[in-house]
Amino acid sequence: AVLGDSNLVWYEKFDWKSLVYSAPVAGQLLALLNACMHRDRAWKDWGLDGIFEYGRGIVALFIGPSGTGKTAAAYAMAKELGLAVRPVNFSTLLSSWFGGTEKNVAEFFATLKNKKELVLIDECDSLLSARGGSDTARVYANVVNLFLSELEKFEGIMMLTTNLKDTLDPALERRIAFRIDFEKPNAELREKIWR
């Protein structure tokens, strides 16, 4: 299997109260948390379950320089939701065999079905870069196409992080429910972090 349960992580270090962000970022994170907490209500109680076949998952993209708290926010959110984190290393999905990577990506999403966990893909640009025109890029495009197609059917919670927002494939935008830009903390925020 591509992902075993030994990959699950409970990370107690970060919690919601320990996060220090600017007001706009904190507000967006709170909106994302509320969406995750109340999504079953929208699908089941409000009857959206019978209307929409795709797009049931919540996918968030955290963009910003290293050290701005993107990964910490994902772990704190999982803790607040009572979920374990499944960190994904793309090197486990890559294969040197023809069609092997595509098979691994399909297995990866099959493994996630009906799981109560938060999937965290750090440095997602390593897989979801814009597709190009060279022969290598066209082969690679099949993997990106498959990943985006599976993401459309994904019903869980996934956080993607990157510090290279301009390299991401434009087709990813449509599949993202929340896009949060993390900025380097100013002097006031740095003092709060130190305290």
Side-chain angles (χ1 to χ4, degrees), residues 102-118:
E102 291 89 334
K103 179 180 176 242
N104 289 345
V105 168
E107 267 185 40
F108 163 68
F109 277 99
T111 305
L112 298 177
K113 221 172 184 96
N114 303 319
K115 298 269 185 171
K116 297 284 187 193
E117 57 202 29
L118 185 147

Side-chain angles (χ1 to χ4, degrees), residues 42-135:
W43 289 108
K44 293 177 182 153
D45 297 352
W46 297 351
L48 296 179
D49 207 14
I51 299 171
F52 296 103
E53 189 176 343
Y54 296 115
R56 296 180 186 207
I58 294 181
V59 179
L61 178 64
F62 295 169
I63 301 170
S66 296
T68 51
K70 302 181 298 291
T71 303
Y75 277 99
M77 193 157 299
K79 185 175 180 183
E80 198 70 17
L81 295 167
L83 299 174
V85 175
R86 184 177 292 277
V88 178
N89 181 343
F90 274 131
S91 66
T92 61
L93 299 178
L94 300 176
S95 171
S96 56
W97 298 99
F98 181 76
T101 300
E102 291 89 334
K103 179 180 176 242
N104 289 345
V105 168
E107 267 185 40
F108 163 68
F109 277 99
T111 305
L112 298 177
K113 221 172 184 96
N114 303 319
K115 298 269 185 171
K116 297 284 187 193
E117 57 202 29
L118 185 147
V119 180
L120 172 62
I121 303 179
D122 268 326
E123 309 300 341
C124 69
D125 44 275
S126 62
L127 176 70
L128 298 173
S129 296
R131 293 163 278 189
S134 70
D135 288 341

